Every structure is written in structure tokens, then in C-alpha cells.
């Protein structure tokens, strides 16, 4: 989803204003607040497919999958983001007693669009790497079958596994789940891929 900047805040001022917002969501990076625009049809279908499939696999296991309304706080970068999908495998840790800002995700998923792809691959991934709990970062294209899974190694490096074949089994090692690529793209219409061209945000 594309972002648009707003005036300077500190994190607690941003959080207070965001909790009062009814019809909009904003992300936060080092004092700057960015309004999030709506997502495309394909984007929403992919998110629903991921949440449903992972949720079913994790039903009898300790990990939990959450969709895009949960904020994630990255303290090392003074940032807060709304990932498209979150999975966590430990007891959730929260910023405060409101329990609406998560601190310890295990896996994060972002569905790419033309307006945010460069940022999701670069600046946003750099922010997310500051999360000690994060073990995997997943990028999903919406205009073609393509899933990239970045898995944190024991020495701190990130290993890329790329999937493009419909029958490929996309593996999420951090939560011990596997999804066929065709299920991630179930009912996605590639003729209706997101064509927005709004500039990406920092």
C-alpha cells in the first residue's frame, strides 16, 4: 500500500493519534507519519489466502497468524509498521497495556505493489531486520507468481529462497509450514494487477 507523509511526531504522540483514527491507518518512522492508501483486489486476495492457509496449519500448534491491522514496533529504528501478515510463535509482547502494538513477530509478509516494492525490498526490510525476534521476511508479487522468503541464519545472514512454479511448495521454516504456490495465488486475477504508480515512502 502506498504511503503519504504527515507532520513530525514522536512515537507516543503518533500512537495516541493513531488510536483515535477510525477510517485510516498510518505508519511511523523516526518522527515522520505516513498515511496508508487502500490495497488492490489481488493484494487482499493474497493476504486472505495466506492467513487462511497458515491459520489452518497452525490451528493445533502454538504459533499464531494475524492480518494487517496489528502494528509492529521496531524500537531500534523508532518505527511502527502494519505488515500484511504476521506470525508469532512465542507469547506476544506488547508496547503497552492496550495490546495493539506487537514487539516480537517471528515472520512478516508483505505483498508487493509498484508503489511500494522498492521500499519493501530495501528500507522496510532494513527496519525489520532490527527486530531480534524476526526469523523470516516474505515478499509476494501480485502481478505474477513469485514468492521470496528471506530466512535469518545463525550467523545473522539472510538466505533467500525464491519460488515461481505453480506446484512449488513455499516453505516457512520459522513456523514449520508449507504452502503450494498455487494456493497463495488462488483466485488472484493477474489481468487486474495493481497498476498504481504513487511514489514509495521512506
Amino acid at each position: 500500500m502506498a504511503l503519504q507523509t504527515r507532520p513530525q511526531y514522536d512515537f507516543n504522540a503518533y500512537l495516541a493519534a493513531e488510536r483515535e483514527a477510525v477510517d485510516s491507518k498510518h505508519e511511523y518512522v523516526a518522527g515522520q507519519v505516513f498515511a496508508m492508501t487502500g490495497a488492490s483486489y489481488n493484494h487482499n486476495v493474497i493476504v486472505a489466502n495466506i492467513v487462511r492457509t497458515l491459520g489452518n496449519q497452525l490451528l493445533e500448534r502454538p504459533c499464531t497468524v494475524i492480518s494487517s491491522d496489528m502494528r509492529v514496533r521496531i524500537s531500534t529504528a523508532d518505527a511502527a509498521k502494519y505488515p500484511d501478515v504476521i506470525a508469532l510463535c512465542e507469547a506476544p509482547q506488547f508496547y503497552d497495556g492496550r495490546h495493539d502494538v506487537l514487539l516480537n513477530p517471528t515472520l512478516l509478509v508483505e505483498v508487493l505493489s509498484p508503489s511500494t516494492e522498492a521500499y519493501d525490498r530495501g528500507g522496510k526490510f532494513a527496519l525489520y531486520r532490527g527486530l531480534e525476534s524476526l526469523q523470516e521476511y516474505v515478499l509476494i508479487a501480485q502481478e505474477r507468481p513469485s514468492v521470496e522468503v528471506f530466512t535469518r541464519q545463525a550467523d545473522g545472514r539472510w538466505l533467500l529462497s525464491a519460488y515461481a512454479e505453480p506446484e512449488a511448495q513455499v516453505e516457512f521454516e520459522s513456523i514449520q509450514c508449507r504452502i503450494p504456490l498455487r494456493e497463495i495465488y488462488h483466485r488472484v486475477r493477474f489481468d487486474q494487477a495493481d497498476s498504481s504508480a504513487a511514489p514509495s515512502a521512506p
Side-chain angles (χ1 to χ4, degrees):
M1 289 181 281
L3 308 178
Q4 297 175 342
T5 188
R6 290 291 184 268
Q8 188 88 10
Y9 292 81
D10 66 23
F11 179 71
N12 287 321
Y14 149 78
L15 188 57
E18 186 70 355
R19 283 169 169 168
E20 293 298 322
V22 175
D23 298 321
S24 61
K25 294 193 298 186
H26 303 79
E27 294 190 331
Y28 171 90
V29 180
Q32 296 294 313
V33 175
F34 304 91
M36 301 178 66
T37 62
S40 70
Y41 174 86
N42 280 355
H43 183 286
N44 283 297
V45 171
I46 291 168
V47 169
N49 289 342
I50 290 282
V51 171
R52 180 182 65 252
T53 307
L54 289 182
N56 287 339
Q57 292 186 32
L58 296 172
L59 192 61
E60 302 299 330
R61 293 163 53 192
C63 298
T64 301
V65 63
I66 305 168
S67 61
S68 60
D69 281 338
M70 174 62 70
R71 282 178 291 270
V72 170
R73 170 70 167 154
I74 309 109
S75 299
T76 54
D78 186 26
K81 295 291 180 180
Y82 285 93
D84 290 322
V85 180
I86 302 166
L88 67 156
C89 293
E90 299 178 350
Q93 299 172 16
F94 298 104
Y95 179 74
D96 59 18
R98 289 283 292 270
H99 293 184
D100 59 356
V101 182
L102 186 69
L103 302 178
N104 62 328
T106 301
L107 176 147
L108 297 176
V109 177
E110 296 287 2
V111 178
L112 301 174
S113 69
S115 61
T116 65
E117 179 170 358
Y119 178 53
D120 289 343
R121 292 184 178 282
K124 184 179 284 187
F125 189 18
L127 295 178
Y128 285 154
R129 289 197 298 269
L131 291 163
E132 291 186 6
S133 65
L134 186 66
Q135 297 301 308
E136 282 184 306
Y137 182 54
V138 182
L139 297 175
I140 302 178
Q142 59 175 297
E143 78 284 357
R144 69 189 186 283
S146 175
V147 176
E148 296 168 283
V149 181
F150 296 86
T151 305
R152 191 194 296 264
Q153 305 300 292
D155 62 2
R157 293 178 302 115
W158 290 81
L159 178 65
L160 168 63
S161 299
Y163 305 86
E165 296 300 322
E167 297 307 314
Q169 298 286 325
V170 180
E171 297 208 27
F172 306 108
E173 294 181 11
S174 64
I175 57 175
Q176 299 182 356
C177 289
R178 177 183 296 180
I179 306 177
L181 193 74
R182 58 179 170 76
E183 291 188 14
I184 293 174
Y185 289 99
H186 180 61
R187 294 186 177 172
V188 169
R189 301 184 62 177
F190 293 115
D191 60 330
Q192 294 186 356
D194 182 7
S195 60
S196 63
S200 60

